[in-house]
Structures are given as C-alpha cells and as structure tokens.
Amino acid sequence: MLHTEVLAGLVVALALIPEAISFSVIAGVDPRIGLFASFTMAVTISVVGGRPAMISAATGAVALVIAPLNREHGFGYLVAAVILAGVFQIVLGALGVARLMRFVPRSVMVGFVNALAILIFMAQVPEMRDVPWEVYPLIAGGLALLVFFPRITRVVPAPLVSITVLTVITVGASIAVPTVGDKGALPSSLPVPGLPDVPFTLDTLTTVAPYALAMALVGLMESLMTAKLVDEITDTPSSKTRESVGQGVANVVTGFFGGMGGCAMIGQTMINVRVSGARTRLSTFLAGAFLMVLCIVFGPVVSDIPMAALVAVMVMVSVGTFDWHSVAPATLRRMPLGETGVMVVTVVCVVATHNLAIGVVVGTLCAMAVFARRVSRVVSVTSVADPDGGSVLYAVTGDLFFASANDLVTRFDVANDPDRVVVDLSAARVWDASSVAALDAVTAKYAQRGKTVEITGLEGHSARIHGTLSGEPAAGH
C-alpha cells in the first residue's frame, strides 16, 4: 500500500541521519559527506538495484575500509576509491560473482544475522553511557511504544510514533538530552557533481586500487547477504546479479557527487521490511529523498530529535533481527554440533572484527571443513576372498575426494592378499586428483610385490577423471 511505503521511507530516513553521521566520523570526513552518500546510494539503488525494498546507504563496513586512505592521502583519494570500487562491483557483478552466494551455508547465514543483531545493539551502547539520567526513561518509553502501539494500529509505523512522541516530550519539557544535532551539522544544500581532486596518474591508480577492491568485495558480500535475508523474510526472489551491478552503479554515482560510498544496510533494511512492512522500490527511493528534505528543509526540527528515540528503534531492530530459534535449547539439541560450531565461529569473527565479510568467509571455510570431515567418514572398503584363494575383491562405497581418499591405501591388506586383486568402484564416486592418486598408490603398492590390480565399476565422470589423471584407463567400463 502507498501509505505503508511512504511512512516506511520516512522512518528509515530518520534512522539514517545519525547512522550516516556516525559513519562519517569513522571514515574521518565531514558529516555531510555521509549524508550525501546515503542520499545518492538510496535513490540510485532504488532504480538500478535487484532487491526491492532493500536500503543501501553509507555503512560502517565501507567506512572502516576506506578510513586509512582518507587519513593518509586525503579526501580526493577517498572519492577516487569509491568510484573505482563501483567499477569493480559492476565488473564482478557482470562476471556472475553473485552465484557464489549459493555456497554460503545456512549455518553461516544464521551466524551472519545473529552477529548483525549483536553489532546493531553494541552500536547503541555508547549512546547509553555517560548521559543524563532522563535518557533512560525516554528509551524505556520508546521501547514501550514500539512494543504496544502496533497492537492498537499498524496504519502508522510504531517507530515514527515513538520518534515523534519522544521529540515532542523533550522539546516541550525542555529536557536536556543528546540530540541528532549533537552528532554534527546537517547539510543545507544538495550535493553537486564533480571529479575527484586527484592527479589522474598510474601512481594514483596503484594507491587507490587495493582500497577500492577491498571496498567492492566487502560491499558486495554485505549487500548480497542482506538481499538473501530479505528474500527469506518477504518470500520473494531477487536478481543478485542486477543487485551486484546496481551497487557498483550506485557507488560510481555517489563518488561523482563527492560521497563516501556504501552498500546495503541491514539495520535500516530491517526497519523498512520487517518493522514497517515495505515491499517496493518506492520506500527505498523515498528514504533517500526524505533524508535530503529532512536535512535541508527541516534541519532544525530533525536536530532536536533525541538520540534516545533512535536508540529505542535500533534496539527493537536488534531484537527482531536476532534468530532466537537458532539458540533455543530444543534447536541446539537437534542441531549437529558442527552446524552450531560454524554459526558460533561466524558470530565471534563478525563481532570481533566488526567486519561482516570476514565472518562470512571464515564461517564458510569452517562449514566446508566440517562437511569434508563428515563426508570423509562415509567411505567404506569391504573385502571378499575368492573361495579358491586365487583373488580377492574389494568393494569401495562412498565419495572419494581429498579428505576421504587420504588413508585409502591403509584399507588394503597388500602383504597378505593373493596375486590378483579386483577393486570394485561401482558404488563409489571419484571426484578429484587426490582420489585418483590414492588409487594409483594402491596399484603401485601391489605392483611392488608382483601383484596385479584390476579397477572395475567406474562410469561417467568417475571414469573420465580417472582415465585423464591416472593415465591408466580403468577396466570394466
């Protein structure tokens, strides 16, 4: 419904302002740079992105990556890195990097979501330290409104009601608490396009390229993971390739407007999709448009919004984002230990590094190791001796690859077996060079004792890979 999308965009815009200012501080740039980036990212991605209702803006992950470049070389180099990162994302998107997302296991996805919920909550903690005592009842009141107002009506989003009520109370009663205005000055005009103030030389390119590539990868991973999460929440598909290219286009546009770049924001996306119920591109577009209108037209009013109101909203987002089912005792009892371990590793890595990309990569590698270990145990080797004692048949069952084939030689009684040995692989699959090498080692061990080995039962892919890599076409196929 139209009013849902409009109000969702307004709520997200309000929540974006302090976040964008905070990320500007992390990147070491003027607060207006983060606000401009959030405006251009949201408006551009609403048109070119592949996941409707997802919010992209200036983010902490991107700010952390490019902060050293800004510190060491200046703002012009940061802008150049943002534009180059966008080009990298367009190329990676066109090459189909989004397809790699299918290799991210569910346990890593759950860990990613839970870590994100923890990070969103942790980001609010500084706003609750060393503050006037009035902040705490305001946060409690905001949380109460967020919990109970939806039971009265969902026509108006609870976060908007909470922010409005708390602002009216603090302004009307002249309560001195930290406000949005304390975070930094809001822009008074729209950004203007221009080229980055850097020398266009090879030296500049080699300086910014590593930062640009890191930003491109972090931004893509965070955006694609968020898109996957929104797919699950809304039960609708999205084009990950279009989203990858769209992120690149949005960053290029943002760079030319002097912004600090960004990617998908999971906290604001959760406000938009889960809390406010938005489902279309309109909410994303309006989030960016309202952001500039609020800053330029209603700057003094927005500056008076107490941070307590936004803290309450983000705490509720944190609670709603966390997958409580994943840590329920009944779930933990049913879930294999390896799966739970992967989820915990992902959470710990993300929370420790404040980098979602690192957590996802480490978690995925751990999941692969767990899977390889589990599969390696399902290979069995059974022997049947010929009644006349002239030969022995070994039946191999399971998937042979680097993890399961390592100890294959030890499963054969080379010393005591008769002169003729048949290895039946009709119930096995040969996957890689390691398993072919293991089979060749078995053959070589027997050959050293003057015994012959016949490998049978190989078909299709297994036969092809064995024939290609061993140089000895297997018999029996």
Side-chain angles (χ1 to χ4, degrees):
M1 292 173 69
L2 182 61
H3 82 272
T4 301
E5 304 294 318
V6 173
L7 292 173
L10 180 57
V11 172
V12 171
L14 288 168
L16 274 174
I17 293 170
E19 296 264 304
I21 295 172
S22 300
F23 298 146
S24 300
V25 173
I26 292 171
V29 298
D30 187 288
R32 284 171 291 193
I33 303 302
L35 290 163
F36 286 155
S38 296
F39 162 62
T40 52
M41 285 291 298
V43 169
T44 307
I45 205 71
S46 70
V47 178
V48 299
R51 174 62 263 178
M54 191 165 79
I55 305 295
S56 291
T59 57
V62 167
L64 285 168
V65 170
I66 57 176
L69 180 65
N70 182 59
R71 194 166 52 244
E72 292 165 24
H73 298 278
F75 181 64
Y77 282 81
L78 181 149
V79 172
V82 170
I83 294 170
L84 185 57
V87 173
F88 281 148
Q89 288 178 328
I90 292 169
V91 172
L92 289 168
L95 291 174
V97 72
R99 287 196 290 271
L100 295 175
M101 288 307 296
R102 62 185 175 185
F103 296 109
V104 177
R106 170 139 187 89
S107 51
V108 174
M109 188 72 191
V110 172
F112 166 84
V113 170
N114 290 347
L116 208 53
I118 293 168
L119 286 183
I120 291 170
F121 182 82
M122 285 171 61
Q124 312 315 310
V125 173
E127 305 297 337
M128 296 185 263
R129 280 198 197 128
D130 303 320
V131 291
W133 67 267
E134 293 93 341
V135 168
Y136 303 110
L138 284 172
I139 292 174
L143 289 170
L145 280 170
L146 290 164
V147 171
F148 295 110
F149 188 79
R151 299 182 184 181
I152 300 169
T153 178
R154 289 185 178 272
V155 174
V156 182
L160 185 58
V161 174
S162 179
I163 290 167
T164 305
V165 169
L166 294 192
T167 304
V168 169
I169 290 171
T170 53
V171 172
S174 300
I175 301 171
V177 291
T179 63
V180 170
D182 297 333
K183 287 286 181 183
L186 301 181
S188 56
S189 61
L190 287 169
V192 291
L195 293 172
D197 183 19
V198 293
F200 291 90
T201 62
L202 186 61
D203 187 47
T204 301
L205 181 63
T206 54
T207 301
V208 302
Y211 294 95
L213 183 59
M215 177 186 156
L217 293 173
V218 167
L220 275 184
M221 189 168 293
E222 198 157 332
S223 300
L224 292 172
M225 291 291 283
T226 306
K228 192 173 177 183
L229 181 62
V230 177
D231 288 354
E232 290 184 9
I233 292 170
T234 61
D235 198 25
T236 56
S238 63
S239 171
K240 305 298 186 298
T241 298
R242 180 176 170 181
E243 182 61 38
S244 303
V245 174
Q247 287 291 328
V249 172
N251 272 309
V252 169
V253 170
T254 298
F256 281 120
F257 275 94
M260 57 181 271
C263 61
M265 295 189 79
I266 197 149
Q268 272 63 21
T269 298
M270 289 299 102
I271 293 174
N272 198 43
V273 175
R274 183 170 267 167
V275 179
S276 302
R279 291 292 181 270
T280 72
R281 296 176 185 276
L282 180 62
S283 59
T284 308
F285 175 82
L286 290 176
F290 281 145
L291 177 64
M292 279 295 102
V293 171
L294 288 168
C295 291
I296 295 168
V297 181
F298 300 101
V301 176
V302 172
S303 295
D304 287 335
I305 294 174
M307 285 303 297
L310 297 167
V311 168
V313 171
M314 296 312 288
V315 167
M316 281 302 292
V317 169
S318 170
V319 171
T321 301
F322 197 90
D323 187 346
W324 297 102
H325 175 72
S326 68
V327 294
T331 306
L332 294 173
R333 278 196 300 271
R334 285 198 315 270
M335 195 66 68
L337 192 60
E339 301 273 317
T340 304
V342 167
M343 180 189 75
V344 171
V345 166
T346 305
V347 170
V348 170
C349 283
V350 172
V351 172
T353 62
H354 283 239
N355 190 322
L356 295 162
I358 290 175
V360 170
V361 170
V362 172
T364 303
L365 291 173
C366 288
M368 288 177 178
V370 168
F371 173 76
R373 189 164 178 268
R374 190 179 299 154
V375 175
S376 70
R377 294 176 173 178
V378 299
V379 171
S380 65
V381 180
T382 54
S383 62
V384 181
D386 191 32
D388 62 10
S391 66
V392 63
L393 170 70
Y394 282 94
V396 181
T397 305
D399 290 286
L400 294 174
F401 66 112
F402 63 91
S404 61
N406 277 337
D407 64 343
L408 192 65
V409 177
T410 63
R411 309 281 190 97
F412 293 84
D413 189 3
V414 178
N416 300 315
D417 278 343
D419 290 344
R420 183 172 177 272
V421 177
V422 179
V423 180
D424 181 12
L425 296 173
S426 54
R429 289 269 290 180
V430 176
W431 286 107
D432 61 5
S434 297
S435 47
V436 174
L439 291 170
D440 285 350
V442 170
T443 305
K445 285 275 186 188
Y446 279 109
Q448 286 171 4
R449 296 174 180 268
K451 301 175 181 180
T452 60
V453 175
E454 181 187 358
I455 295 177
T456 66
L458 283 175
E459 293 179 353
H461 173 269
S462 298
R464 283 194 300 276
I465 195 167
H466 184 272
T468 303
L469 297 178
S470 74
E472 300 171 12
H477 60 79

